[in-house]
Amino acid sequence: MRIRRILAAVFATAALAGLGLTSAATATATAGSVTPASVTPGECTDGGGTIDRSTPVLPTCRGGMYDGQTVD
C-alpha cells in the first residue's frame, strides 16, 4: 500500500515537471519567432545581410535573417 502511494507521487511529480518543461519550450519557441520592427547594423550583418542605404526613408537590411527590416 505504501509503495503504491510513493509510486503515485513519483509519477505525479514527473508529469508536472514534464508539463513545466513543455510550456517553457513553447514559450521560448514563440518568443524566438517574433521579428523586430527594426534592427541594428550589427544584427543585420550578423544575420547574414547587408545594409542598403539607397532606400528613401531609412536604410534597409537586404538578405539574410532580417531581410526587408529597417536599420536603426
Side-chain angles (χ1 to χ4, degrees):
M1 200 63 170
R2 179 180 245 178
I3 292 175
R4 286 186 198 168
R5 279 188 251 152
I6 292 172
L7 284 176
V10 168
F11 284 128
T13 304
L16 290 175
L19 287 176
L21 291 176
T22 304
S23 60
T26 303
T28 303
T30 304
S33 64
V34 175
T35 57
S38 63
V39 295
T40 63
E43 288 173 334
C44 178
T45 55
D46 289 345
T50 57
I51 301 170
D52 181 10
R53 298 190 193 287
S54 66
T55 54
V57 180
L58 289 173
T60 305
C61 186
R62 295 287 176 209
M65 177 185 233
Y66 301 107
D67 187 36
Q69 299 291 323
T70 57
V71 178
D72 282 342

